[in-house]
Amino acid sequence: MINDKQGILKTILLALVVGIASFFCVAWVLGPIFSGRIILPQSFVFAGLKIHLYGAIISLAVLSGYWLAMKRRNRYGVKKDDAESLIIIALVVGFVGARLYHVVSEFTFYLQHPIQIFEIWKGGLSIYGAALGGILAVYFFVKFHKKYSFLQILDWLTPSVVLGQIIGRFGNFANYELYGTPTKLFWKMFIPVQFRVPPYELNQFFHPLFLYEIAGSLVILVLLLRLRLKTGYLFLLWLFLYNILRFFLEQLRVESVNYGNIRVKALVSLVLVLGALYFSYKLWNSKQNDQSDPHCH
């Protein structure tokens, strides 16, 4: 764990190297798909069962997040039974929240195609909805289990959420659903015509937004795993950094929810950045962050 100034600088540099290196490595590995020589199937048959690629990747993301949470629980003094119960509750509530947020944000579309609300395998899970649902689950869990603090549990689970999010973004890639405006950059990504949205039907290559977010989230994950912060700041650091990343990515996104000329999700990101700063300031002045904080990690 790092808490001195020199160590913090080294950690930031390491995180940036990991993020940049992962971006170019993944872009190189996925080159045949980015070029359009290989078109990803949306599903495949295994042992007689039809498996949706998006669903398989999301399942891997959940399992990875669960593994990391269980590995780190002792550091936060969370008992195994409590950890397993909370993770299951948070997953269920977070999943419902992720879908509801997406459906509400695309309400006009789903009003015309209500049956597609239940077609989860086609994508459409919002990280904002998942985070809100998960936070609510943690809040009520802590209310019931008074031996844990709300911020303590949020800090424990935050890196697991980021790891799951990183893997889950490959599900968006598999569904060709998270891409930006057309580009000629050498890491441009080919989008099959059936997945292109108006008015970009004649364009072939686009910004791979999913990969931008993966690289940025890897930077954040390295910081979360290595920095030594007092209770609550780990969660707030993620909230701050991720929403800065998301704010800029939303400027490139082709399927943006707009209210007039305002990109709604970019506005949400900006509000959350300000919220993270505000609550960080409040924590700085609270008794929870004195030198005797028992949950400092």
Side-chain angles (χ1 to χ4, degrees):
M1 292 301 173
I2 306 297
N3 63 354
D4 60 281
K5 291 183 179 180
Q6 185 176 8
I8 291 173
L9 179 59
K10 289 181 179 179
T11 297
I12 293 173
L13 291 175
L14 172 64
L16 291 174
V17 169
V18 169
I20 294 171
S22 65
F23 176 87
F24 287 107
C25 286
V26 173
W28 177 74
V29 170
L30 298 180
I33 300 172
F34 275 23
S35 68
R37 296 195 301 272
I38 296 177
I39 304 298
L40 288 173
Q42 300 302 289
S43 62
F44 59 93
V45 177
F46 179 77
L49 296 175
K50 185 178 181 180
I51 298 175
H52 293 277
L53 190 56
Y54 179 84
I57 294 173
I58 295 299
S59 298
L60 178 60
V62 169
L63 290 174
S64 299
Y66 171 82
W67 167 80
L68 184 58
M70 296 304 291
K71 185 176 180 180
R72 299 175 71 251
R73 67 177 178 81
N74 288 332
R75 186 181 306 164
Y76 291 84
V78 183
K79 294 182 178 180
K80 183 179 179 181
D81 290 344
D82 291 339
E84 291 176 342
S85 297
L86 175 56
I87 290 171
I88 291 173
I89 294 170
L91 282 174
V92 173
V93 179
F95 181 83
V96 173
R99 188 58 177 175
L100 282 178
Y101 186 98
H102 170 75
V103 171
V104 170
S105 65
E106 303 284 350
F107 183 73
T108 303
F109 172 82
Y110 286 105
L111 189 63
Q112 299 173 354
H113 308 87
I115 192 64
Q116 292 193 29
I117 293 175
F118 305 100
E119 296 178 348
I120 306 296
W121 58 89
K122 292 184 177 180
L125 296 175
S126 167
I127 183 61
Y128 289 133
L132 180 59
I135 289 172
L136 287 174
V138 169
Y139 176 79
F140 286 107
F141 181 86
V142 169
K143 282 290 186 181
F144 182 76
H145 295 80
K146 298 184 182 298
K147 53 190 170 183
Y148 305 115
S149 76
F150 180 60
L151 294 178
Q152 169 194 2
I153 297 299
L154 287 182
D155 281 355
W156 165 51
L157 289 177
T158 294
S160 299
V161 172
V162 178
L163 177 60
Q165 184 182 352
I166 289 169
I167 297 174
R169 284 309 183 195
F170 284 100
N172 299 128
F173 162 63
N175 270 7
Y176 292 102
E177 65 176 345
L178 183 57
Y179 57 91
T181 52
T183 183
K184 295 181 179 180
L185 293 171
F186 69 86
W187 57 72
K188 61 186 182 291
M189 176 183 175
F190 177 80
I191 301 296
V193 64
Q194 66 268 31
F195 297 104
R196 299 173 197 164
V197 297
Y200 302 106
E201 295 91 340
L202 298 181
N203 297 99
Q204 292 184 313
F205 295 96
F206 301 79
H207 283 284
L209 285 195
F210 85 96
L211 185 52
Y212 296 169
E213 185 164 328
I214 286 173
S217 295
L218 275 170
V219 172
I220 295 171
L221 182 60
V222 172
L223 294 175
L224 296 181
L225 292 177
R226 290 185 57 84
L227 290 178
R228 181 171 182 166
L229 303 173
K230 292 183 178 181
T231 302
Y233 284 110
L234 205 69
F235 168 73
L236 290 172
L237 178 63
W238 167 74
L239 191 67
F240 176 75
L241 292 178
Y242 174 69
N243 282 287
I244 287 179
L245 172 67
R246 186 66 180 265
F247 175 81
F248 288 106
L249 293 184
E250 285 296 329
Q251 310 309 314
L252 290 174
R253 192 165 183 168
V254 293
E255 292 184 290
S256 178
V257 180
N258 295 330
Y259 184 78
N261 293 324
I262 299 175
R263 291 178 178 255
V264 174
K265 293 181 180 179
L267 180 61
V268 170
S269 294
L270 183 59
V271 170
L272 290 174
V273 166
L274 296 176
L277 291 173
Y278 171 76
F279 285 110
S280 295
Y281 173 76
K282 295 287 286 185
L283 269 180
W284 182 263
N285 291 286
S286 72
K287 294 181 180 179
Q288 294 182 17
N289 290 277
D290 59 24
Q291 295 301 317
S292 62
D293 188 344
H295 301 300
C296 187
H297 51 280

